[in-house]
Structures are given as C-alpha cells and as structure tokens.
Amino acid sequence: MEQDRASRPSAFGMATAVSLLAGACAALLLPVMPATWLLTIALATGVGCWWRRMRLRLPGAALAGFAWAGLHASWALGAQLPPSFESRDLEVSGRISSLLHADERRTRFLLRVDDDRHSPVPLRGKLVQLAWYDDYSALLPGPRTRLQAGARWRFRAKLRAPRGLSNPGGFDSERHALGQRIAATGYIRDPGAATRLAAPAGINAWRERISTRIESSVPVSSSRFVRALALGDTQALTERDWETLRAAGLTHLIAISGFHVGLVAGFMALLGSTAWRCFPSLALRVPRPQVAAAAALLGAMGYAAVAGFALPTVRTVLMIGVVVLARAVRRPVRVADSLSWALVAVLGFDPLSLLAPGFWLSFAGVAWLMWCLQAPGQAPLRAFLSAQGVATLGLLPLTVILFGQASVAGPVANLIAIPWWSLVVVPLCLVGTALEAVHEGAGAWSWQAAAWCFDLSWPWFEWLARQRFALWWLPEARWFA
C-alpha cells in the first residue's frame, strides 16, 4: 500500500507540472480556439481530477493546462481591436507604460488606454503600441521630443489589430503582441494636435529619469550598456551591438535577465542572514532562514520593478517566491520540487508565456543542469566549467529551433562574461542606481566604474564576434528533425 501510494504523482510534482505544460502547449498549437464555455467546463473538470482523483491526476493536469491556456488565448484575441474600428481615426487617451524607443524620425511606445467613457469601447483599459513619426519635410525634430515615459497623453491615432509578416525564420510580431496582450498597433495622426494631460508618474517615469542621469554621468559610448544592465533600457543599442552580442552568444546577459534577478536575490538573502548572525537575539523572534528567504524575495521584486516587470524577471520572482513559501512553511525543498512548483506558478500566472523563447530557455536550462550536474562537492572552478559546458550543449538544439542560429564562440565568451559582467559590472550598475535613488548625483562614480570595467572586456568580445565561425546560421529543418 505504501509503495503504491509513493508511486502516485504528487499534486505539484514534476510529472504533474509536465502534464500541465503539455496541455497548455496543445492548446496553443490549435488553429482555432474552442468555445469559451467548453473551455470553462474543461477547466473545472481538469482541476477536479487534478486535485481529487489520484489516478486521474496527470490527465486532469493536462486538461486543466489545455483549458487555462485556451481561455487566456481566447481572452487575448477577443481583446484585440475589431475590424470595424480599423478604417477610421480614433481618439485615445492614456498613460505611456513603457520606455520610449526613439529613432531618427520615429518614437515607439506602449500606451495603457484610460478605462473611462471617453475612450473607444474596445480599447478601454487595453494596451496599444503607437508610433509617432516626424514630418519628413521638417529639418528639426518634431514635438515627439516632448514624450516622456509615465506621462498621460491624448492622441488621434490610426489603429489596427496586431498583424505581421509570416516569413519563415522572421520575427513573429503577432505572436509577440499576443504574449504581451497588445490589443492594437498603429501610429499617431495629426501629431500637432496631441495633448499632454498629466506629468510623468510611476515606475517607468523613474526609470527614464535614471536612464537620463546615466547618459549624462557616463560620457563614453558604453553608457548605453550601463543603461541596459542597470535598467533593462536597450533602446540605445545599435544593430551592430546586437549583431556582436548574438555572434558572441551574450544576448542573455546584456539586459536585466532572470539570472541577474537571481544574483540580486542571493545577495539580499546573504545580507539578511548576516544581519541575523550579527544580532543573534533577533532569531528568537524570527528564524534566520525565513528572514533570508524574505529578503531574497524583496530584493527580487525590487529589481523586477527596476526592469519594468519584464516577463523574464517576473518568472524569476515567481520561482523565488515558491522557495520562500516553502521556507515559510518549513518544508524541505529539492531543486526538482522548486522547479516543478515554479513551472506550475508561471503557467498559472500567465500560460501565454509559452510563446516567449525565454520561458523555454530558462526552464530547460535549469532542468538540464539539474539532470547532468548531480555530483556534489566539486571545486568551484570545475563546477562552473562543467555547468557552462553542459548548458551550451543542452541548449544548443533549443537555440537552433528558436533562433535558427548557433554561436560557436558563445561558450568561450561566456566563460569571461558571466563572472565579469554578472559579478563586477552589474553590481556596480546596481550600486549606482541605488545611490542615485537616495540622492541625485551620488551614483555617478559607480556607473563610471561599471562603464570602465565593461570597456575592458567589450573589445575582446567584438574581436571574437568578427571571427569567421563565431555564428552559424542554419536552415529551417522539417518538424521531425
């Protein structure tokens, strides 16, 4: 009896999490979503079997994942702008909810439309992507220079439901818009009539102010990389920068990523634990492991806010939150348990995150490392080299499938970039940001030090990316390959 009970899948075990993932994937592969009422019934049935029926737990989790992902996809598609509204100009007002991406003649941004009676009914409370184009006959920049993140504006805009090219191997803008819940895309008509309704406010306004201070405090070309590492602001990176990063296999390190959130969480956990060691009497009120876990979660949430709650950072915060919850209830947590719980949490929070490559790279990378690196007690250098080699080999098929390319120079570049950027450059960027939040001008020295440290390594990565075999582009293979 005990052996039979032990062989049954747990409610949040790895087998259940994989079943949930398989069901969600099956829903997102459908050409047409089933009716909402049918998905609702399937969700209730799946959750009931998952929670109450031990023998039907795996099929129940798969059915629940299928229905939950289908409902989210149906809601996101149903929220897009109807075709009847695409043939006319619409007046929209709302708050700019992203950093500005400014080109020579165009500025792109996301606008959260006001949820009031003055906004078009299909767009109330929705997210739209707008572009403000300058008059091409003008010699000076147009009034779009007045745009600021976090400000409220009123525009007349030409909008349509998100659409994009379907070229094989190209960027799928429709899938991206669906994953970001963007209801419409378009451009501003009659820019001269655009009206600012309120001054900048919120986290994105703060991020833009800090980005401007970094640009003025670091008078070297690498200030654009400091902004990317400190705030996730990549708008100043050129196409040549991205080509170098892709060829060297370093795109996962250049903006705020889940890896960097994990580093901040680990530092905060160490800080909290050290404080409790210095004052042992505090442990009589709150145990030290719980304090370290709570500090890690607070640090991760703060860093995710600095990044504008980008999806990779939210996924990492959820993973850390799972471990913190287990610590709070004083349950032992294995790596496999934390991974499966995090997978369930992420799919429950946003099943459409399956549409982002970062979901597969992050979870597959952790699962692969967990499978291959099970021998404890290795020397730190050997463990790091082993992890780098295993991750490079294991994630190579996913990289080819998702991006159609493979960086041969990536393993070599990452051996230097991961410890140097993540343990030296990024902490200096974060120290500068923290000091600047306390007092204006206090973080300039730290940002300048970060730029100087970054400049020591960047020429070598540029040289590595220029080598003939740095980046391999591969043709799209058939599904069975």
Side-chain angles (χ1 to χ4, degrees), residues 342-375:
L343 181 58
V344 172
V346 170
L347 292 178
F349 175 75
D350 182 18
L352 297 188
S353 61
L354 292 172
L355 301 175
F359 173 91
W360 299 99
L361 292 172
S362 58
F363 277 102
V366 173
W368 180 250
L369 288 171
M370 179 186 68
W371 177 266
C372 296
L373 301 179
Q374 297 182 354

Side-chain angles (χ1 to χ4, degrees), residues 298-317:
L298 289 175
M301 292 176 64
Y303 196 27
V306 169
F309 290 104
L311 189 58
T313 64
V314 173
R315 282 198 302 268
T316 307
V317 170

Side-chain angles (χ1 to χ4, degrees), residues 457-475:
S457 61
W458 183 245
W460 188 80
F461 294 137
E462 286 185 311
W463 174 85
L464 193 63
R466 288 195 300 267
Q467 302 311 302
R468 180 180 178 185
F469 298 108
L471 185 66
W472 284 2
W473 291 91
L474 296 107

Side-chain angles (χ1 to χ4, degrees), residues 373-384:
L373 301 179
Q374 297 182 354
Q378 287 187 343
L381 180 59
R382 183 177 179 181
F384 173 73

Side-chain angles (χ1 to χ4, degrees), residues 443-459:
W445 68 268
S446 188
W447 290 329
Q448 292 168 5
W452 183 81
C453 292
F454 183 90
D455 286 339
L456 291 179
S457 61
W458 183 245

